[in-house]
Amino acid sequence: MHPILFILILSLICSAVLSVMIGNLWLFLSMFFGFVFIFSILLWLFFALLSAIIPKGKYYSKPSAFYLWNLNLAYAFVCGGAGAKIRTRGLEKLPDKPFLLVSNHLSQLDNMIQSLVLRKRKIAFIAKEQLFKIPIVRGIITRCCYIPIGRKSTKSDRHAIEIAEDYINRGVMSIGVYPEGHRSKDGQLQKFQAGCFKIALDTGCPIVVSAVIGTDEVHKRFPLGRTEVRFDIIDVIDPAGRKSVEISEEIHEIIKKYIEENKK
């Protein structure tokens, strides 16, 4: 069950029971909103506690199934609360073994939606190091084996790639990357940084080419409207015998064309 729906149902039950117990049904509505607020706060306090008990900067050889479940629970809460209605296509194309997921990047919701859709597959994202400084987020994504990367440090880039390659080589999980390096401010696909494709070249893992559409529109309809967003698997590419720049240019054109054809 969706976490927000669960909270609403639980709040409804608690409000109804308490209203009957005190003999004042006029308080039902105010108690309902009060319980929604209390249960929501308790949920996020629970996430904060889970995050706080994870040591800073620690490396884990594999993700925790418990933490992955809770991470996706948090993602479902955020995406549902933001009014994102997720649609997806092409999941049947996914390979059975670990892969490198490549996508365009429009919003902070992108990896949340992708993680939710791919929740039956273990996947971690290479993410900007600033996310690992947010208290309620840091510990959970660390325990789920998300990989921090610096914006200006070549050493940080190499280290992130080495960790990603290790996870894939050991069959631990798939890795998600955004070759643009940052969110697109105008919705147009930006130039790719070819370095991330080294992960696929070194490990020989398949590259899953995907696209997100509509996530940059969610904030325009929040909080009352709902927005249909798409996460589609376009193609799967074998990197064998290729060069990173060549792969980067090909995938850039594939994603760009797909977005242009499907955005409307």
Side-chain angles (χ1 to χ4, degrees), residues 178-182 184 188-194 197 245 248-249 252:
Y178 300 107
E180 292 169 277
H182 54 78
S184 173
Q188 300 299 313
L189 190 64
Q190 307 298 304
K191 182 179 179 180
F192 279 4
Q193 300 175 20
F197 294 100
V245 174
S248 176
E249 292 175 351
H252 185 279

Side-chain angles (χ1 to χ4, degrees), residues 107-208:
S107 163
Q108 292 180 338
L109 296 177
D110 293 344
N111 85 285
M112 300 184 191
I113 290 169
Q114 291 167 336
S115 182
L116 284 171
V117 172
L118 301 175
R119 60 187 175 275
K120 294 183 179 180
R121 308 287 298 266
K122 291 181 180 178
I123 183 168
F125 290 81
I126 294 180
K128 59 183 181 180
E129 59 186 359
Q130 287 83 350
L131 286 177
F132 292 80
K133 298 178 182 179
I134 303 174
I136 200 171
V137 173
R138 177 200 58 78
I140 296 179
I141 61 176
T142 295
R143 192 61 191 89
C144 292
C145 295
Y146 277 46
I147 305 169
I149 190 170
R151 288 292 179 91
K152 299 180 180 179
S153 172
T154 303
K155 182 178 180 180
S156 174
D157 291 353
R158 287 199 301 267
H159 185 58
I161 288 175
E162 288 172 358
I163 294 175
E165 290 176 357
D166 176 61
Y167 286 139
I168 291 176
N169 281 328
R170 291 190 291 112
V172 172
M173 61 171 52
S174 299
I175 299 294
V177 296
Y178 300 107
E180 292 169 277
H182 54 78
R183 296 191 304 274
S184 173
K185 295 180 180 180
D186 58 6
Q188 300 299 313
L189 190 64
Q190 307 298 304
K191 182 179 179 180
F192 279 4
Q193 300 175 20
C196 62
F197 294 100
K198 187 176 184 297
I199 297 171
L201 291 171
D202 289 348
T203 62
C205 75
I207 301 173
V208 173

Side-chain angles (χ1 to χ4, degrees), residues 15-257:
S15 302
V17 171
L18 191 57
S19 297
V20 172
M21 288 180 63
I22 64 178
N24 189 342
L25 297 179
W26 293 105
L27 292 176
F28 172 80
L29 192 60
S30 60
M31 285 192 294
F32 172 74
F33 287 112
F35 276 119
V36 169
F37 177 77
I38 291 171
F39 290 140
S40 297
I41 292 297
L42 288 175
L43 180 63
W44 286 101
L45 286 175
F46 174 68
F47 292 146
L49 176 62
L50 288 180
S51 187
I53 61 179
I54 299 298
K56 291 183 179 180
K58 185 174 176 59
Y59 166 81
Y60 290 90
S61 61
K62 61 180 180 179
S64 160
F66 174 74
Y67 271 80
L68 279 174
W69 187 88
N70 278 283
L71 180 65
N72 282 315
L73 180 65
Y75 284 168
F77 188 98
V78 172
C79 292
K85 188 176 181 180
I86 304 171
R87 296 285 185 264
T88 186
R89 291 190 303 190
L91 294 183
E92 71 280 356
K93 300 175 184 176
L94 290 173
D96 295 330
K97 59 182 180 180
F99 52 83
L100 180 69
L101 178 73
V102 177
S103 171
N104 61 317
H105 197 14
L106 298 174
S107 163
Q108 292 180 338
L109 296 177
D110 293 344
N111 85 285
M112 300 184 191
I113 290 169
Q114 291 167 336
S115 182
L116 284 171
V117 172
L118 301 175
R119 60 187 175 275
K120 294 183 179 180
R121 308 287 298 266
K122 291 181 180 178
I123 183 168
F125 290 81
I126 294 180
K128 59 183 181 180
E129 59 186 359
Q130 287 83 350
L131 286 177
F132 292 80
K133 298 178 182 179
I134 303 174
I136 200 171
V137 173
R138 177 200 58 78
I140 296 179
I141 61 176
T142 295
R143 192 61 191 89
C144 292
C145 295
Y146 277 46
I147 305 169
I149 190 170
R151 288 292 179 91
K152 299 180 180 179
S153 172
T154 303
K155 182 178 180 180
S156 174
D157 291 353
R158 287 199 301 267
H159 185 58
I161 288 175
E162 288 172 358
I163 294 175
E165 290 176 357
D166 176 61
Y167 286 139
I168 291 176
N169 281 328
R170 291 190 291 112
V172 172
M173 61 171 52
S174 299
I175 299 294
V177 296
Y178 300 107
E180 292 169 277
H182 54 78
R183 296 191 304 274
S184 173
K185 295 180 180 180
D186 58 6
Q188 300 299 313
L189 190 64
Q190 307 298 304
K191 182 179 179 180
F192 279 4
Q193 300 175 20
C196 62
F197 294 100
K198 187 176 184 297
I199 297 171
L201 291 171
D202 289 348
T203 62
C205 75
I207 301 173
V208 173
V209 184
S210 67
V212 288
I213 299 174
T215 54
D216 55 334
E217 299 290 327
V218 173
H219 70 282
K220 298 177 183 179
R221 297 182 176 89
F222 178 82
L224 300 178
R226 290 178 63 79
T227 305
E228 182 170 303
V229 300
R230 296 264 301 280
F231 167 46
D232 295 343
I233 305 300
I234 307 172
D235 199 1
V236 178
I237 293 177
D238 183 354
R242 312 282 296 277
K243 294 182 179 180
S244 58
V245 174
E246 175 191 346
I247 294 174
S248 176
E249 292 175 351
E250 178 184 347
I251 293 178
H252 185 279
E253 288 306 309
I254 291 174
I255 296 177
K256 181 180 179 181
K257 182 179 179 181

